[in-house]
Amino acid sequence: MSVVMMAGTPPLSELSSHLLQEQSETTFVNNYPQLTVLRSNNQIRWLQTILRNDKTEHGDFVFNADRLIRLVIEDALNFLPTHDKTVYTPKGMAYEGKAFNKGNCGVSIVRSGEAMEKSLRECCRSIRIGKMLIRHDDEESCKGKPPKVIYVRLPPDIADRNVLLMYPLMNTGGTIHQSIKELKKNNVKEDRIIICTLFVTSNSIRHVLGDFPKVRILTTEVNDDCALHFGEKILRD
C-alpha cells in the first residue's frame, strides 16, 4: 500500500514522533486522575511551538505566553465550586445559571509565577493574590536538600479558601512541593489546591502527587524536555 503525502504535510518521522508523544502522554495522564492536561489542538500546539523556539523574540514570547497562560487560568476556574443562581433578563424571563462560591484566591511563586497574575486578574478582577519566594541553593540542591522558603505573604483566611497556585514550570517538582507544604502549614487542605502550570515533566508529577495525592494539577503538556528557559525569557526587560 502506498502513502500519498499532501503538500505541506510533515514527514512521517515527525508525525510518528508526535503521535507517540500524544499516546505516551495519554497513558501517563490516565494513571493520575488529579492531573488534567488541556486537550491538545492546533492553537495550543502553535503556542507551545512559539514558546519552545529559541529564536522567538522577547515581545512575541511574552504575547504568546500570556495567551497560553490565559487558557490554563480559564480552565482552572472550572474546578472552583459554584452554586445555582437565578437572574432575570431584560425581558423579565428567569435564567437559571451559575455563580462562583466566595472564598477563592491565587498564590504566585516569585518570580515567574507572577507572570500568571495578569490572566487571573483579568478573569477575576477582585480576587486576592498571595506570594511565595522559594529559592534553590545550588550546594544544598546537590546534596538532595529541598529548596528554602524565603518569603511568604498569604491572605490571613487562606485556610478557608480554594487556592490557585501559579507557577509555569514543574521540572523536578521541588518548588511546587515546598509551596504545598507551606500552604498546609497554613491549614490549607490538599483538595482545595489547584496548581496552574504550563509545562511539567513526568518525574515532577510523580514527586508532587506521590506526596500530595489530593492536589489537582492543570497543565498544557507533559514532556520530559521541560521548557527551562521560560522564566528567564518572560521576565527579561
Side-chain angles (χ1 to χ4, degrees):
M1 180 182 69
S2 62
V3 178
V4 178
M5 300 294 288
M6 300 291 290
T9 303
L12 283 175
S13 58
E14 291 185 19
L15 289 172
S16 299
S17 177
H18 179 50
L19 288 171
L20 285 172
Q21 179 184 330
E22 286 191 338
Q23 290 172 359
S24 176
E25 183 178 280
T26 300
T27 301
F28 183 84
V29 170
N30 289 340
N31 292 329
Y32 293 93
Q34 292 299 98
L35 171 63
T36 299
V37 179
L38 265 61
R39 185 174 180 179
S40 183
N41 54 41
N42 288 339
Q43 178 184 210
I44 288 177
R45 292 290 293 178
W46 176 55
L47 293 172
Q48 291 168 338
T49 301
I50 293 171
L51 298 182
R52 285 185 172 277
N53 186 352
D54 63 357
K55 293 183 172 62
T56 300
E57 295 183 358
H58 178 250
D60 291 336
F61 188 94
V62 172
F63 177 80
N64 288 285
D66 285 343
R67 290 189 60 200
L68 191 59
I69 290 168
R70 179 65 178 260
L71 292 175
V72 170
I73 295 297
E74 292 275 10
D75 209 67
L77 299 181
N78 289 319
F79 295 103
L80 296 177
T82 61
H83 60 273
D84 296 333
K85 183 173 182 177
T86 303
V87 297
Y88 292 88
T89 70
K91 293 184 178 180
M93 303 293 291
Y95 179 81
E96 304 297 331
K98 291 285 185 181
F100 286 111
N101 295 352
K102 292 184 178 180
N104 304 310
C105 72
V107 174
S108 64
I109 301 177
V110 180
R111 292 180 61 215
S112 58
E114 293 176 304
M116 306 180 77
E117 292 181 10
K118 176 173 174 270
S119 290
L120 180 57
R121 289 200 186 279
E122 287 174 346
C123 295
C124 310
R125 286 184 296 176
S126 60
I127 195 167
R128 301 189 67 178
I129 298 180
K131 294 181 185 290
M132 289 189 199
L133 173 59
I134 299 175
R135 183 168 295 167
H136 289 263
D137 184 291
D138 291 339
E139 184 176 342
E140 292 189 352
S141 180
C142 291
K143 297 178 182 177
K145 293 185 178 180
K148 293 180 180 179
V149 177
I150 307 297
Y151 170 80
V152 177
R153 189 191 74 201
L154 301 173
D157 60 346
I158 195 168
D160 301 320
R161 294 176 179 265
N162 299 290
V163 179
L164 297 175
L165 183 59
M166 299 176 288
Y167 195 59
L169 300 177
M170 283 176 51
N171 185 31
T172 66
T175 299
I176 287 288
H177 191 281
Q178 198 69 8
S179 66
I180 295 171
K181 288 173 67 175
E182 190 65 30
L183 289 174
K184 293 188 71 173
K185 282 183 186 177
N186 286 269
N187 300 314
V188 178
K189 295 180 180 178
E190 276 186 36
D191 59 3
R192 301 188 78 171
I193 300 172
I194 303 169
I195 299 168
C196 303
T197 185
L198 302 183
F199 303 104
V200 303
T201 65
S202 55
N203 283 337
S204 69
I205 296 297
R206 294 186 188 97
H207 183 40
V208 172
L209 292 183
D211 288 344
F212 308 111
K214 295 181 180 180
V215 165
R216 180 170 292 280
I217 299 174
L218 180 63
T219 186
T220 73
E221 184 180 48
V222 179
N223 192 322
D224 288 340
D225 180 14
C226 199
L228 297 177
H229 62 284
F230 183 93
E232 178 185 350
K233 199 155 186 176
I234 200 169
L235 296 171
R236 186 185 303 163
D237 294 331

